[in-house]
Amino acid sequence: MSFANRIGDEWRAGATTRPNINPSDTTEVVGDYAQGSALDVADAVAAAREAFPAWSRSAPMDRHAILMRASSEVAARTEELATLLAREEGKTLADARGEVGRAAQILAFFAAEAVRLMGETGPSIRPGVTVEVTREPLGVVGVITPWNFPIAIPAWKIAPALAYGNCVVFKPADLVPACAWALVDILIRAGLPPGVLNLVMGPGSQVGQALVTARGVDAVTFTGSVGTGRGIAAACVAGTPMKKVQLEMGGKNPLLVLDDADLDVAVRAALDGAFFQTGQRCTASSRLIVTDGIHDRFVAALTEGMAGLIVGHALDPATRIGPVADAGQLATDLSYIEKGRAEGARLVTGGEILNRPTPGHYLSPALFTDASNTMTIAREEIFGPVACVIRVRDYDEGLTVANDTDFGLSAGICTTSLKHATHFRRNVEAGMVMINLPTAGVDPHVPFGGRKGSSYGPREQGSHARDFYTTVKTGYIG
Ligand code: NDP
């Protein structure tokens, strides 16, 4: 079956299509998806511009109703959408259900935000003058998303953009367009006027580039890798007018395990944070920083726990770890495993390509010990089921190592010491801190984002999303 782009009020076929391949079974084509062009982007931007005056002045209650209808449909179709998600991306059906549920929650949250957007008024310093501070939509927002959360990330960018009165041109990751297409279809049938939401599928180098350089785009929200993000930010400020830009990028998230940690809690946090969803999460715990006194017991228990993680087809209920998303990412994972070995870390388990009844990109979760924080596997984001254990003397050294990174998205600590938990929460250089929890796994109603090379611009999600999707106007009334 073929799926078209959405431009203005029409579903428009691309000049070509691209097959969406199931990473659990590379003989299965999930669907054929249109490949858009720079011309399609230009038409989509023009349609969005035309729709903006009416949409930006639409009644907040109307925007609320549309987003709520979309939320209800996503929730009602959880099983079908989760199966689609698991087929195109490779996360397990259980994880995919969670992600679809998350998308429904996000749509409902921002439906309510649409009617909650109030301003402030106060007296001027000049007698008889009133000051009014209000928020207005930005205009047309370009949305560019990665492949690892095919429905949740599009939802958490598109829902606030629409709720606050913006129009959208959306370019999903070319690897996983199915859930993106389904979400757009749902939102349009929920009642969006023509041109308010446009979808142009295709490669980032063409469709993405055309979007970030288009004159009619006022802002770009992006999630993906650091290199791509840096280029997008540069393109956004190079053009006239300059575009507002928000980047969510990678992580090299530390999980610090102290001698006084509850071993079960620490192992559960490490298993989940490092390996669930095949380690393909920007919040994955790829650096396990462990103090001397618990190090050997932790490594032994974690290795035992890893032996119980069944790697297999995403739709098999027994599977705990699905395949790697595609052949390119698998090659990247394997090259980092090789670098880890070459630089002197010890591979204690995993890191092997696995054969399963269906041909797919199966890799056993890999754990390195004897790693130092200067090794490539401890510095660069791998984005696969690969973690390294870094041994430290004590809490102070652990915190120093945790902060010695170019990233700053999420950080966790496992300890029963209130003193260390509190000190870590205050002093670790990350946007999100987890105490006795995995570094991955976040709520939709509170801010998401990081520091240093992980994020640039205002936070996503929760009410803080308005800082990106609106602009402030100060009125003086005499
Ligand atoms: P990429 O940076 O390769 O791609 C992200 C998106 O940008 C894709 O839609 C891609 O298109 C598009 N793109 C690529 N080149 C350009 C360009 N020149 N101009 C405009 N758009 C472009 O990342 P991945 O998709 O590989 O995703 C994995 C990365 O995302 C990881 O590094 C991960 O850490 C990060 N990530 C960060 C999260 C966060 O919130 N901090 C959450 C999830 C992932 P296409 O792929 O279709 O060619």
Side-chain angles (χ1 to χ4, degrees):
M1 198 169 160
S2 239
F3 296 85
N5 289 318
R6 177 76 186 189
I7 296 168
D9 61 357
E10 63 162 339
W11 290 105
R12 187 191 292 180
T16 56
T17 58
R18 181 181 194 272
N20 182 352
I21 306 289
N22 182 345
S24 299
D25 178 356
T26 53
T27 63
E28 190 199 353
V29 176
V30 177
D32 290 300
Y33 289 82
Q35 292 286 281
S37 64
L39 189 63
D40 292 325
V41 172
D43 289 349
V45 172
R49 288 237 70 85
E50 201 182 324
F52 179 67
W55 179 248
S56 60
R57 288 181 206 116
S58 60
M61 217 53 213
D62 291 346
R63 301 203 293 272
H64 168 86
I66 292 169
L67 290 169
M68 277 312 294
R69 277 197 290 275
S71 170
S72 303
E73 182 170 340
V74 169
R77 290 172 56 191
T78 297
E79 205 55 24
E80 173 208 337
L81 291 170
T83 305
L84 186 65
L85 201 167
R87 283 170 65 216
E88 73 169 338
E89 199 268 353
K91 67 184 66 177
T92 64
L93 193 52
D95 288 336
R97 280 191 198 108
E99 186 180 333
V100 172
R102 169 63 53 92
Q105 288 167 352
I106 289 164
L107 289 161
F109 179 88
F110 285 107
E113 284 294 282
V115 289
R116 210 180 277 138
L117 193 62
M118 303 295 285
E120 299 158 36
T121 53
S124 158
I125 58 167
R126 283 167 278 172
V129 175
T130 300
V131 181
E132 185 191 72
V133 181
T134 51
R135 286 178 180 268
E136 295 182 359
L138 301 172
V140 175
V141 178
V143 170
I144 300 178
T145 55
W147 50 259
N148 63 335
F149 285 91
I151 196 162
I153 294 181
W156 85 48
K157 291 180 185 297
I158 294 171
L162 299 176
Y164 298 128
N166 301 282
C167 294
V168 170
V169 179
F170 170 35
K171 190 220 97 63
D174 221 14
L175 193 64
V176 292
C179 286
W181 191 95
L183 180 65
V184 169
D185 173 56
I186 288 169
L187 278 160
I188 284 171
R189 284 186 296 94
L192 287 177
V196 171
L197 174 60
N198 305 272
L199 170 73
V200 187
M201 298 175 283
S205 54
Q206 288 159 41
V207 172
Q209 265 302 299
L211 188 55
V212 299
T213 51
R215 206 178 162 82
V217 172
D218 300 284
V220 173
T221 175
F222 164 85
T223 297
S225 58
V226 178
T228 307
R230 210 185 283 278
I232 286 176
C236 284
V237 296
T240 305
M242 291 187 198
K243 297 173 176 55
K244 192 171 181 181
V245 63
Q246 172 188 57
L247 312 173
E248 287 299 342
M249 299 167 287
K252 199 68 204 171
N253 310 291
L255 179 70
L256 177 55
V257 179
L258 298 187
D259 286 354
D260 64 11
D262 177 319
L263 187 63
D264 288 344
V265 167
V267 169
R268 271 204 307 276
L271 280 175
D272 176 332
F275 305 117
F276 287 8
Q277 299 198 26
T278 322
Q280 297 171 156
R281 294 188 285 187
C282 49
T283 47
S285 326
S286 49
R287 292 186 299 146
L288 306 171
I289 303 167
V290 186
T291 48
D292 257 340
I294 196 171
H295 178 278
D296 294 354
R297 279 182 295 136
F298 173 79
V299 169
L302 181 60
T303 310
E304 193 186 323
M306 289 172 70
L309 298 177
I310 296 172
V311 179
H313 195 296
L315 296 181
D316 182 340
T319 296
R320 184 53 265 190
I321 309 282
V324 173
D326 75 344
Q329 185 61 50
L330 180 62
T332 302
D333 296 350
L334 292 171
S335 79
Y336 276 110
I337 290 168
E338 206 33 61
K339 267 184 208 144
R341 276 206 190 99
E343 290 179 16
R346 194 162 72 87
L347 183 63
V348 285
T349 182
E352 286 161 1
I353 290 184
L354 303 173
N355 288 318
R356 291 293 179 262
T358 50
H361 310 298
Y362 299 107
L363 177 67
S364 56
L367 183 69
F368 282 100
T369 58
D370 302 276
S372 86
N373 202 44
T374 56
M375 290 178 180
T376 310
I377 54 168
R379 305 225 62 92
E380 296 181 8
E381 183 176 51
I382 300 173
F383 220 54
V386 184
C388 62
V389 177
I390 301 168
R391 186 194 280 261
V392 290
R393 270 188 319 277
D394 53 19
Y395 169 75
D396 290 334
E397 188 188 356
L399 177 64
T400 303
V401 170
N403 284 338
D404 177 15
T405 170
D406 293 336
F407 295 101
L409 188 57
S410 180
I413 186 168
C414 292
T415 180
T416 50
S417 151
L418 180 62
K419 183 180 109 179
H420 286 138
T422 306
H423 189 271
F424 186 80
R425 191 163 48 76
R426 291 190 182 142
N427 291 284
V428 76
E429 295 161 6
M432 296 173 291
V433 189
M434 315 293 185
I435 312 293
N436 293 318
L437 288 168
T439 56
V442 297
D443 286 1
H445 64 300
V446 287
F448 176 91
R451 302 179 184 179
K452 301 197 256 185
S454 291
S455 298
Y456 184 79
R459 288 284 189 268
E460 299 202 85
Q461 302 200 60
S463 299
H464 285 65
R466 70 176 58 151
D467 292 340
F468 178 71
Y469 292 98
T470 64
T471 183
V472 169
K473 183 177 273 177
T474 311
Y476 293 86
I477 303 131

